[in-house]
Amino acid sequence: MDRLFEFVVNHYVLASLFVAFLVAILILESRRGGAKISAQSAVTLINKDEAVVVDIRDRKEFGEGRITGSINIPLNSLKSRVAELNKYKEKQIIVADKMGQHAAMAVKQLNAEGFTNVVRLNGGVADWKGSNLPLVKK
């Protein structure tokens, strides 16, 4: 640990650049996929009928359990099926995937298509299930 402090003192410019790059990467990564919303906040919006959930998982995973009222548009066909969401442009769109990893790409695509009120479900359907919230199986 003493060597670390010695290195920082002797190479303060290099250490400063490292910290600046680290902060820049953290800021860019946090903004990359848009805002996140917790499962509890999503429930509140859905119950007030102010939001619609777009589930970007494939059909098989969607059939195993889905959020009530969600619309299934797999990520690989989102661009071609975006017209189905035009009637929801005034509502908050919540993008949900399996674990929250791919929702950022969907949010980016929807923003490019002119949707301004799009957020992603933090942790995806796995977090929803982990919060003991209901999933519909059909």
Side-chain angles (χ1 to χ4, degrees), residues 10-11 23 46 59 73 77 80-81 83 88 91 96 100-101 110 120 127:
N10 290 335
H11 304 285
V23 168
I46 293 166
R59 184 175 297 267
I73 302 178
S77 62
S80 61
R81 294 179 56 189
Y88 303 112
K91 288 189 176 186
Q101 297 171 329
L110 290 172
R120 56 190 167 131
D127 187 53

PDB file of all heavy atoms in Angstrom, residues 10-11 23 46 59 73 77 80-81 83 88 91 96 100-101 110 120 127:
ATOM      1  N   ASN A  10       4.537  10.360  -6.993  1.00  0.00           N
ATOM      2  CA  ASN A  10       5.578  10.556  -8.011  1.00  0.00           C
ATOM      3  C   ASN A  10       5.001  10.734  -9.416  1.00  0.00           C
ATOM      4  O   ASN A  10       5.628  11.365 -10.266  1.00  0.00           O
ATOM      5  CB  ASN A  10       6.550   9.374  -8.008  1.00  0.00           C
ATOM      6  CG  ASN A  10       7.418   9.356  -6.769  1.00  0.00           C
ATOM      7  OD1 ASN A  10       7.646  10.388  -6.142  1.00  0.00           O
ATOM      8  ND2 ASN A  10       7.892   8.185  -6.402  1.00  0.00           N
ATOM      9  N   HIS A  11       3.829  10.168  -9.655  1.00  0.00           N
ATOM     10  CA  HIS A  11       3.226  10.239 -10.988  1.00  0.00           C
ATOM     11  C   HIS A  11       1.794  10.765 -10.883  1.00  0.00           C
ATOM     12  O   HIS A  11       0.847  10.133 -11.350  1.00  0.00           O
ATOM     13  CB  HIS A  11       3.228   8.844 -11.635  1.00  0.00           C
ATOM     14  CG  HIS A  11       4.571   8.218 -11.715  1.00  0.00           C
ATOM     15  ND1 HIS A  11       5.513   8.615 -12.623  1.00  0.00           N
ATOM     16  CD2 HIS A  11       5.142   7.230 -10.969  1.00  0.00           C
ATOM     17  CE1 HIS A  11       6.614   7.887 -12.457  1.00  0.00           C
ATOM     18  NE2 HIS A  11       6.408   7.043 -11.450  1.00  0.00           N
ATOM     19  N   VAL A  23     -13.887   7.866 -14.086  1.00  0.00           N
ATOM     20  CA  VAL A  23     -15.136   8.603 -13.856  1.00  0.00           C
ATOM     21  C   VAL A  23     -15.906   8.758 -15.168  1.00  0.00           C
ATOM     22  O   VAL A  23     -17.128   8.570 -15.209  1.00  0.00           O
ATOM     23  CB  VAL A  23     -14.847   9.972 -13.207  1.00  0.00           C
ATOM     24  CG1 VAL A  23     -16.071  10.868 -13.213  1.00  0.00           C
ATOM     25  CG2 VAL A  23     -14.338   9.782 -11.783  1.00  0.00           C
ATOM     26  N   ILE A  46     -47.787   0.907 -13.693  1.00  0.00           N
ATOM     27  CA  ILE A  46     -48.680  -0.018 -14.397  1.00  0.00           C
ATOM     28  C   ILE A  46     -50.080   0.034 -13.784  1.00  0.00           C
ATOM     29  O   ILE A  46     -51.079   0.077 -14.508  1.00  0.00           O
ATOM     30  CB  ILE A  46     -48.120  -1.457 -14.363  1.00  0.00           C
ATOM     31  CG1 ILE A  46     -46.836  -1.532 -15.183  1.00  0.00           C
ATOM     32  CG2 ILE A  46     -49.136  -2.453 -14.880  1.00  0.00           C
ATOM     33  CD1 ILE A  46     -46.027  -2.796 -14.958  1.00  0.00           C
ATOM     34  N   ARG A  59     -40.059 -15.692 -27.560  1.00  0.00           N
ATOM     35  CA  ARG A  59     -41.409 -16.200 -27.309  1.00  0.00           C
ATOM     36  C   ARG A  59     -41.430 -17.304 -26.251  1.00  0.00           C
ATOM     37  O   ARG A  59     -42.334 -17.373 -25.422  1.00  0.00           O
ATOM     38  CB  ARG A  59     -42.013 -16.697 -28.614  1.00  0.00           C
ATOM     39  CG  ARG A  59     -43.443 -17.166 -28.481  1.00  0.00           C
ATOM     40  CD  ARG A  59     -44.014 -17.525 -29.828  1.00  0.00           C
ATOM     41  NE  ARG A  59     -44.079 -16.380 -30.711  1.00  0.00           N
ATOM     42  CZ  ARG A  59     -45.149 -15.589 -30.852  1.00  0.00           C
ATOM     43  NH1 ARG A  59     -46.225 -15.840 -30.165  1.00  0.00           N
ATOM     44  NH2 ARG A  59     -45.137 -14.574 -31.672  1.00  0.00           N
ATOM     45  N   ILE A  73     -42.282  -8.271 -27.830  1.00  0.00           N
ATOM     46  CA  ILE A  73     -41.618  -7.951 -29.093  1.00  0.00           C
ATOM     47  C   ILE A  73     -40.154  -8.310 -28.886  1.00  0.00           C
ATOM     48  O   ILE A  73     -39.418  -7.565 -28.239  1.00  0.00           O
ATOM     49  CB  ILE A  73     -41.762  -6.460 -29.471  1.00  0.00           C
ATOM     50  CG1 ILE A  73     -43.237  -6.072 -29.581  1.00  0.00           C
ATOM     51  CG2 ILE A  73     -41.024  -6.175 -30.774  1.00  0.00           C
ATOM     52  CD1 ILE A  73     -43.472  -4.611 -29.900  1.00  0.00           C
ATOM     53  N   SER A  77     -36.538  -8.448 -33.412  1.00  0.00           N
ATOM     54  CA  SER A  77     -37.570  -7.966 -34.336  1.00  0.00           C
ATOM     55  C   SER A  77     -38.151  -6.628 -33.895  1.00  0.00           C
ATOM     56  O   SER A  77     -39.176  -6.192 -34.436  1.00  0.00           O
ATOM     57  CB  SER A  77     -38.675  -9.009 -34.479  1.00  0.00           C
ATOM     58  OG  SER A  77     -39.300  -9.223 -33.240  1.00  0.00           O
ATOM     59  N   SER A  80     -38.455  -3.867 -36.731  1.00  0.00           N
ATOM     60  CA  SER A  80     -39.498  -4.079 -37.732  1.00  0.00           C
ATOM     61  C   SER A  80     -40.908  -3.995 -37.141  1.00  0.00           C
ATOM     62  O   SER A  80     -41.865  -3.755 -37.867  1.00  0.00           O
ATOM     63  CB  SER A  80     -39.303  -5.438 -38.410  1.00  0.00           C
ATOM     64  OG  SER A  80     -39.392  -6.476 -37.458  1.00  0.00           O
ATOM     65  N   ARG A  81     -41.041  -4.155 -35.838  1.00  0.00           N
ATOM     66  CA  ARG A  81     -42.370  -4.152 -35.202  1.00  0.00           C
ATOM     67  C   ARG A  81     -42.625  -2.922 -34.339  1.00  0.00           C
ATOM     68  O   ARG A  81     -43.591  -2.881 -33.582  1.00  0.00           O
ATOM     69  CB  ARG A  81     -42.530  -5.411 -34.352  1.00  0.00           C
ATOM     70  CG  ARG A  81     -42.558  -6.684 -35.174  1.00  0.00           C
ATOM     71  CD  ARG A  81     -42.681  -7.919 -34.324  1.00  0.00           C
ATOM     72  NE  ARG A  81     -43.866  -7.879 -33.459  1.00  0.00           N
ATOM     73  CZ  ARG A  81     -44.093  -8.778 -32.506  1.00  0.00           C
ATOM     74  NH1 ARG A  81     -43.242  -9.764 -32.295  1.00  0.00           N
ATOM     75  NH2 ARG A  81     -45.174  -8.686 -31.755  1.00  0.00           N
ATOM     76  N   ALA A  83     -43.867  -0.155 -35.038  1.00  0.00           N
ATOM     77  CA  ALA A  83     -45.147   0.499 -35.333  1.00  0.00           C
ATOM     78  C   ALA A  83     -46.249   0.039 -34.380  1.00  0.00           C
ATOM     79  O   ALA A  83     -47.204   0.787 -34.128  1.00  0.00           O
ATOM     80  CB  ALA A  83     -45.542   0.221 -36.776  1.00  0.00           C
ATOM     81  N   TYR A  88     -48.786   3.902 -27.999  1.00  0.00           N
ATOM     82  CA  TYR A  88     -48.357   4.103 -26.618  1.00  0.00           C
ATOM     83  C   TYR A  88     -47.319   5.218 -26.477  1.00  0.00           C
ATOM     84  O   TYR A  88     -46.653   5.301 -25.452  1.00  0.00           O
ATOM     85  CB  TYR A  88     -47.756   2.810 -26.050  1.00  0.00           C
ATOM     86  CG  TYR A  88     -48.691   1.632 -26.106  1.00  0.00           C
ATOM     87  CD1 TYR A  88     -48.441   0.559 -26.942  1.00  0.00           C
ATOM     88  CD2 TYR A  88     -49.839   1.591 -25.325  1.00  0.00           C
ATOM     89  CE1 TYR A  88     -49.290  -0.529 -26.992  1.00  0.00           C
ATOM     90  CE2 TYR A  88     -50.702   0.519 -25.373  1.00  0.00           C
ATOM     91  CZ  TYR A  88     -50.423  -0.540 -26.207  1.00  0.00           C
ATOM     92  OH  TYR A  88     -51.273  -1.604 -26.255  1.00  0.00           O
ATOM     93  N   LYS A  91     -47.551   7.267 -23.302  1.00  0.00           N
ATOM     94  CA  LYS A  91     -47.343   6.562 -22.035  1.00  0.00           C
ATOM     95  C   LYS A  91     -45.861   6.282 -21.809  1.00  0.00           C
ATOM     96  O   LYS A  91     -45.057   6.323 -22.727  1.00  0.00           O
ATOM     97  CB  LYS A  91     -48.103   5.234 -22.040  1.00  0.00           C
ATOM     98  CG  LYS A  91     -49.595   5.375 -21.937  1.00  0.00           C
ATOM     99  CD  LYS A  91     -50.226   4.026 -21.734  1.00  0.00           C
ATOM    100  CE  LYS A  91     -51.715   4.160 -21.527  1.00  0.00           C
ATOM    101  NZ  LYS A  91     -52.321   2.882 -21.182  1.00  0.00           N
ATOM    102  N   ALA A  96     -38.464  -4.582 -20.574  1.00  0.00           N
ATOM    103  CA  ALA A  96     -38.047  -5.653 -19.670  1.00  0.00           C
ATOM    104  C   ALA A  96     -37.405  -6.778 -20.474  1.00  0.00           C
ATOM    105  O   ALA A  96     -37.880  -7.124 -21.549  1.00  0.00           O
ATOM    106  CB  ALA A  96     -39.251  -6.190 -18.896  1.00  0.00           C
ATOM    107  N   GLY A 100     -31.946  -7.759 -17.416  1.00  0.00           N
ATOM    108  CA  GLY A 100     -31.592  -6.349 -17.515  1.00  0.00           C
ATOM    109  C   GLY A 100     -30.371  -6.064 -18.358  1.00  0.00           C
ATOM    110  O   GLY A 100     -29.899  -4.933 -18.397  1.00  0.00           O
ATOM    111  N   GLN A 101     -29.853  -7.063 -19.056  1.00  0.00           N
ATOM    112  CA  GLN A 101     -28.623  -6.876 -19.816  1.00  0.00           C
ATOM    113  C   GLN A 101     -28.842  -6.313 -21.217  1.00  0.00           C
ATOM    114  O   GLN A 101     -28.002  -5.592 -21.733  1.00  0.00           O
ATOM    115  CB  GLN A 101     -27.874  -8.206 -19.926  1.00  0.00           C
ATOM    116  CG  GLN A 101     -27.442  -8.741 -18.594  1.00  0.00           C
ATOM    117  CD  GLN A 101     -26.897 -10.152 -18.695  1.00  0.00           C
ATOM    118  OE1 GLN A 101     -27.313 -10.920 -19.546  1.00  0.00           O
ATOM    119  NE2 GLN A 101     -25.982 -10.484 -17.817  1.00  0.00           N
ATOM    120  N   LEU A 110     -35.656   2.403 -29.429  1.00  0.00           N
ATOM    121  CA  LEU A 110     -36.927   3.113 -29.289  1.00  0.00           C
ATOM    122  C   LEU A 110     -36.720   4.626 -29.246  1.00  0.00           C
ATOM    123  O   LEU A 110     -37.504   5.376 -29.826  1.00  0.00           O
ATOM    124  CB  LEU A 110     -37.678   2.635 -28.049  1.00  0.00           C
ATOM    125  CG  LEU A 110     -38.244   1.220 -28.132  1.00  0.00           C
ATOM    126  CD1 LEU A 110     -38.782   0.769 -26.793  1.00  0.00           C
ATOM    127  CD2 LEU A 110     -39.315   1.130 -29.202  1.00  0.00           C
ATOM    128  N   ARG A 120     -35.866   1.343 -18.622  1.00  0.00           N
ATOM    129  CA  ARG A 120     -35.657  -0.102 -18.575  1.00  0.00           C
ATOM    130  C   ARG A 120     -35.869  -0.604 -17.165  1.00  0.00           C
ATOM    131  O   ARG A 120     -35.590   0.095 -16.193  1.00  0.00           O
ATOM    132  CB  ARG A 120     -34.283  -0.474 -19.097  1.00  0.00           C
ATOM    133  CG  ARG A 120     -33.141   0.197 -18.409  1.00  0.00           C
ATOM    134  CD  ARG A 120     -31.843  -0.055 -19.154  1.00  0.00           C
ATOM    135  NE  ARG A 120     -30.813   0.834 -18.673  1.00  0.00           N
ATOM    136  CZ  ARG A 120     -29.616   0.452 -18.319  1.00  0.00           C
ATOM    137  NH1 ARG A 120     -29.274  -0.809 -18.414  1.00  0.00           N
ATOM    138  NH2 ARG A 120     -28.740   1.315 -17.889  1.00  0.00           N
ATOM    139  N   ASP A 127     -35.406  -9.833 -11.566  1.00  0.00           N
ATOM    140  CA  ASP A 127     -35.572  -8.987 -10.385  1.00  0.00           C
ATOM    141  C   ASP A 127     -37.048  -8.877 -10.016  1.00  0.00           C
ATOM    142  O   ASP A 127     -37.399  -8.831  -8.843  1.00  0.00           O
ATOM    143  CB  ASP A 127     -34.974  -7.604 -10.631  1.00  0.00           C
ATOM    144  CG  ASP A 127     -34.974  -6.756  -9.387  1.00  0.00           C
ATOM    145  OD1 ASP A 127     -34.453  -7.218  -8.361  1.00  0.00           O
ATOM    146  OD2 ASP A 127     -35.523  -5.625  -9.432  1.00  0.00           O
TER     147      ASP A 127
END
